[in-house]
Every structure is written in structure tokens, then in C-alpha cells.
Amino acid sequence: MVSDLYNLDLKNTLPLACGIEYLHISSLILDDFPAQDNSDLRRGQPALHKTVIDNDIPKNLCEGRAQLAAIDLIAVSMILINHDLVKNGFSPERVNQVVSEISLSMHDLCIGQMMDLCAAHMGIEKGTELLEELDHIAWFKIDKAIGVVIIGSANVEGENIGKSAALDIKNNTVTYVSILGVEGTRQRLKEFRQQTLKLIDECWSSGAETIKDVVSYVVDRKN
């Protein structure tokens, strides 16, 4: 998407794409830990901290391996972004700027996750008063407008996307679905889609078709 928007060679920007995806995966690994969402499953499969690979380590140490994997993914991500982007012709100054923006986003993600933990004790009795708080959490966790779309969609799909919807009930986590119901959440997603597409048009007058397709896919996806 970045290559399309700024007319860059995809091969040269691939390290950035890979680095960001590694950071994303590391956040999912950490998100499943008992001290966070306490999820045993990720997309219907055992979460990494619950995965035994050919009995290579004792089962009780799988969480430790998952912790190391998450940290290593962050380290490899920084190697890709810092080293390979410069090797591909981007100036060190520009790469430093990219790293700074990514670091800020990761910081915001941690703030959002902490807000998520704090929200676990709120319950749903406050009803629609919590919608603004949920939007705020999504804003931090996945970055701005598209974050609300993604989190809302994940809430709707439940078992098929990411973690089990029943886990939110078990953890007493407030979600869009717990407040609005499935259909109400779908309607809210459609409203956010229009807002997000409008924002994209304001930022880029052309070349943003891929981003728009991603937004629509997230809202409409079924698995």
C-alpha cells in the first residue's frame, strides 16, 4: 500500500512491510498470555504459549519460549527496518524517522492494552457510555480510525478471527458486541467505514485503492 501511494519500488520497501508484520505478530503472541487476554487459542489453533513442538521442551516452559519469540520478532523487525532499508537506498535520516514513528505506535499500543486491562472490571452496566472508551482504546491499540474498524470486526466474528468471543465474556471484557449486540456492531462498523474512507480520500487524492479495499475487507470479512 505504501509503495502504491508514494510510487516506490515494492522490493525496496519490503523490509519495512516485513518488519511491521513481525511487530504485529509479536503483539499477538503477547496478547494471548495469561497476564493479558489469557487466550489458549489463536484462530482456532493453540496459542504459541500453549504449543508443544515435537516435545522439544517441557509443556510448562512453552510460555517462556513464546516470550522469547515475541522479543526476538521485535529485534529482527528492527534489524530489517534499520539495516535493510538503508541498504535499499533510503537515507539513515529517513529510516530514523520511520523507526521513531513505529516506536510511537508501539508505545500507543501498550497504552491501549493497559486501558483494555483496566476496562475488564467495568462490566457492561454503563451501556453506551462505554462506547467512547472503546473507541479510545481501539485508537491507541491499532492506530487511529482503522483501529476501530478492525477491533469492531474482530468482536463480531469471534471464533473465526483471532481469539474466541467467549473469552471476552470469561474475562469480563467490555466489547462492542457486549454493548450493541452483533447487528448493532455491524451497523457501527459500516458507519466507521464511511468515516475511514472519507479520511483516506482527504489524505490521498489517488493511489489509495488498496487501503480502501483493506478497510472494506475488514468490515465485510466472514473468516
Side-chain angles (χ1 to χ4, degrees), residues 5 14 28 34-36 51 58 82 129 131 143 161 166 172 175 211:
L5 286 172
L14 193 58
L28 297 182
Q36 298 294 324
T51 299
N82 278 292
E129 295 179 16
L131 285 175
D143 207 16
I161 296 179
N172 195 35
T175 66
I211 294 181

Side-chain angles (χ1 to χ4, degrees), residues 159-185:
E159 299 288 344
N160 294 326
I161 296 179
K163 61 189 178 184
S164 167
L167 185 64
D168 288 324
I169 298 175
K170 177 183 176 182
N171 292 342
N172 195 35
T173 302
V174 179
T175 66
Y176 289 102
V177 172
S178 69
I179 297 174
L180 299 175
V182 172
E183 291 307 315
T185 301

Side-chain angles (χ1 to χ4, degrees), residues 131-203:
L131 285 175
E132 185 174 344
E133 182 70 12
L134 287 177
D135 292 346
H136 197 201
I137 291 172
W139 178 279
F140 275 107
K141 287 182 69 175
I142 311 187
D143 207 16
K144 319 312 182 244
I146 197 171
V148 183
V149 172
I150 292 175
I151 287 184
S153 174
N155 289 166
V156 169
E157 302 304 337
E159 299 288 344
N160 294 326
I161 296 179
K163 61 189 178 184
S164 167
L167 185 64
D168 288 324
I169 298 175
K170 177 183 176 182
N171 292 342
N172 195 35
T173 302
V174 179
T175 66
Y176 289 102
V177 172
S178 69
I179 297 174
L180 299 175
V182 172
E183 291 307 315
T185 301
R186 289 189 188 280
Q187 182 58 41
R188 190 168 178 83
L189 278 173
K190 292 177 182 178
E191 295 170 2
F192 280 130
R193 168 164 53 186
Q194 294 306 313
Q195 295 175 23
T196 303
L197 294 178
K198 180 180 178 182
L199 179 61
I200 292 172
D201 284 334
E202 291 174 357
C203 292

Side-chain angles (χ1 to χ4, degrees), residues 55-79:
N55 293 315
D56 58 340
I57 60 174
K59 187 175 182 180
N60 65 313
L61 297 181
C62 287
E63 185 174 333
R65 177 173 57 193
Q67 292 171 345
L68 292 173
I71 295 170
D72 192 44
L73 282 168
I74 295 171
V76 173
S77 170
M78 292 298 100
I79 293 172

Side-chain angles (χ1 to χ4, degrees), residues 24-92:
H24 174 226
I25 295 172
S26 73
S27 73
L28 297 182
I29 294 172
L30 296 170
D31 193 46
D32 289 336
F33 281 166
Q36 298 294 324
D37 280 357
N38 193 23
S39 178
D40 292 345
L41 299 175
R42 171 65 60 175
R43 290 189 175 274
Q45 300 295 321
L48 186 58
H49 70 281
K50 290 291 184 178
T51 299
V52 177
I53 304 173
D54 297 327
N55 293 315
D56 58 340
I57 60 174
K59 187 175 182 180
N60 65 313
L61 297 181
C62 287
E63 185 174 333
R65 177 173 57 193
Q67 292 171 345
L68 292 173
I71 295 170
D72 192 44
L73 282 168
I74 295 171
V76 173
S77 170
M78 292 298 100
I79 293 172
L80 284 171
I81 295 170
N82 278 292
H83 179 266
D84 289 9
L85 283 182
V86 172
K87 186 175 69 175
N88 288 352
F90 293 94
S91 69

Side-chain angles (χ1 to χ4, degrees), residues 1 8 18 58 61 75 98 101 105-106 113 120 127 150 161 168-169 179 186 191 203-204 206 209-210 216:
M1 291 187 291
L8 299 172
C18 291
L61 297 181
V98 169
E101 289 294 329
S105 293
M106 293 295 288
Q113 187 67 16
I150 292 175
I161 296 179
D168 288 324
I169 298 175
I179 297 174
R186 289 189 188 280
E191 295 170 2
C203 292
W204 300 284
S206 63
E209 288 74 18
T210 303
S216 293

